[in-house]
Each structure stands twice: as C-alpha cells, then as structure tokens.
Amino acid sequence: MNAKDPEKLLLEKAKDLLNLGVESLGPQTERQLGDIRIRALSAAEEKRPGSFSPRRWVMVGGLAAATMAAVALFFWLSPSPESLPTGHVEDLEIITSKERMDLYQNMDFYRWLETTENGARKNGKAS
Amino acid sequence: MDSGLDNNGPLNRFLAEVERRAFQMAKFATRNRDEALDLVQEAMSQFVRHYSTRPAEEWKVLFYRVLRSRITDWHRRTLVRRRIIAWLGRPNDEDQEDPLQALPDTQNPNPSEQVLRQEERGVLERAIRALPLRQQQAFLLRAWEGMDLKQTAFIMKCSEGSVKTHYSRAVHALRGVLEEKLS
C-alpha cells in the first residue's frame, strides 16, 4: 500500500469506520436480522418445488385417486359400441354419400332447369 | 443433497455474512432503522426465492442487486410520499436521526478512544447519508464491499462509465468533508 496516497488512506479509514459501525449494531438489531434470515429461509423451504411435505403428498394422492374414479365412472356409464342404434349408421351413410355432394355441386344447374321449365309452361299457357 | 436452505446450510451462512452490511447500506439510504430492516427482509426473501439455486459465487452480486433494487423502489415511493406530505403542508419527521445511533458502546474498554472513533464514525456516516443515492451506492459497493466496476455496474443496473462517474463524485464529496474533520 502506498502510505502517501491521501485518497487511499481516506478510503482505508472510511472502510475501517464502516466496519466499526457494523460491529456495533447492538444485540437487538442483530437478533432481528437473524430472525429475518430464518424467516426468509423457512418461507423459501415451504415454497420450494420438489420439497413435498406429507400434507402435499396426501393432496396429490387424493387428486390422483379422484381422477381415476372419474375415468372409471365415465367408462362404466358410457354406452358400449354393440348397443349403437342402426339408425345412427344409416345417418352416417347419408352424410358420407357421394351422390348428396353431387346434388349440392350441381345446384345451379337444377335451378336453371326449374326456371327454364317454369318459363316454358307459362309460355304454353299464354299461347 | 444439501439444499442450502436449512439453518446450517451455505445459503444461511452467506446471508449471515452479508446481513449486517446490507442493513447498514439500507440504513444509509433510508436513515431509518425499521425501514432498513424491512428492506433487508424484502431483499432476503426475494433473493432466496429467486436465486438460491444459482452458484454460490454469484450470490453476493445477486443479493446486492436485489437489495439495491429494493432501496431504489423505497426511495421512489418515499419521494412521492414526501411530495404529497409537502403539498398537504404536514411536517415530515422521516429525516430525524435514529436515537439508537447516539447510544454509546459500553463494551469498549477505552472510553476516550471509543468516543473519538464514534465521532469519526458519525462524521463519515452523516457524509455518506448526505450523498445522492447513486453516489452513495457506488461508493459503498466499490470502497466498502470491494466490488469491481463490472460487478457494481451489474448491481446498479447502469454502465461502467456511470459507476466511475458516481464513484468519483462520491469520493470527491467525501474527501471534502472528511479530510477536514478526520485529519
């Protein structure tokens, strides 16, 4: 250390006095700081993912059991494929039928045909 | 595996090491013991929650970054409150000195030396408290905590150039006060 450097000396002195301040905080403040530290660590321990408390294991277990019961109930109550009404299959055939799609695609032609026929009938009546 | 969170773990030891200096820093900024304790509590909780899983060699810088952030938030809130109080015309008693500061240390065997040291300490602490917040933080982090420029810039969320400016102004201001009174 350069003893002649006044700035360094000043900083050393300041550091020394600041350390002195830390050493003489008083027992009450030191106790409060210790309490704060323990509280911060305890709160983090409680919230920490992976640190499962027995209470949390019970909650997770209960949730898993309830989910399994709900799934079992769903399968138990849902109708089996054998009892599907035949009408449903017929509806499916109508929906997937290619002819129906052709009908919709040629709708313009059928409209034109109807208009033409109607026009011819009116002309026939008029004459 | 050592979680670090138990009362004998490395994190507890780290916090025990820094808590008193953190408290002093917060007290310089707030000039109030209870406010300083609250800030240390907030900083510790936030640090443990967010950074306890980071490598231990990063803890000091991260902890002081959290603390500085809490102090800056407090400062901002206080400025707003003071403006409102001033606008309402009520007296503000927040700037009063902490009475505990004036209590003598009865454990020192040499009273005259102790009185002298207390006086010097009082002069220094008043001078630090009088610094603008950024200068105060730059000075304490660089001169007291021994942080380098890069670490201080990270903690203060500013450029290294800004740290140099704040630190140099702080040292200049303190030299003006202290050379006269501590020499």
Side-chain angles (χ1 to χ4, degrees), chain A residues 7 16 19 32 37 44, chain B residues 12 19 21 33 48 144 175:
Chain A
E7 189 171 311
D16 187 36
N19 288 337
Q32 281 177 301
R37 170 169 30 97
Chain B
N12 180 48
E19 67 192 11
R21 283 164 172 255
R33 182 180 166 280
V48 171
W144 194 25
R175 195 167 49 210

Side-chain angles (χ1 to χ4, degrees), chain B residues 19-139:
Chain B
E19 67 192 11
R20 292 185 299 168
R21 283 164 172 255
F23 168 74
Q24 282 293 75
M25 274 192 193
K27 206 169 130 210
F28 281 131
T30 61
R31 305 176 187 197
N32 182 295
R33 182 180 166 280
D34 293 335
E35 297 276 13
L37 282 171
D38 285 347
L39 286 177
V40 173
Q41 180 169 5
E42 285 175 28
M44 271 193 191
S45 300
Q46 202 175 334
F47 169 77
V48 171
R49 206 163 49 240
H50 296 294
Y51 301 114
S52 59
T53 53
R54 299 288 287 265
E57 57 270 20
E58 293 177 11
W59 283 351
K60 193 173 177 184
V61 172
L62 289 169
F63 175 77
Y64 279 114
R65 187 174 157 104
V66 173
L67 178 68
R68 192 215 62 87
S69 182
R70 299 287 89 224
I71 288 173
T72 306
D73 279 353
W74 177 90
H75 199 69
R76 211 174 286 138
R77 284 199 308 270
T78 307
L79 278 177
V80 173
R81 195 165 61 227
R82 280 179 186 168
R83 274 178 199 156
I84 293 169
I85 288 169
W87 184 70
L88 292 171
R90 286 190 197 160
N92 189 358
D93 57 357
E94 284 178 358
D95 288 337
Q96 285 178 359
E97 287 284 321
D98 182 1
L100 288 174
Q101 192 71 43
L103 289 177
D105 179 6
T106 51
Q107 291 175 342
N108 195 316
N110 188 343
S112 61
E113 190 195 335
Q114 180 242 325
V115 169
L116 188 67
R117 300 267 286 167
Q118 289 285 3
E119 278 176 13
E120 287 179 340
R121 209 185 101 203
V123 169
L124 175 71
E125 291 186 353
R126 274 193 294 278
I128 291 174
R129 277 199 294 269
L131 290 173
L133 187 64
R134 306 283 280 168
Q135 289 183 28
Q136 191 183 95
Q137 289 170 346
F139 177 78

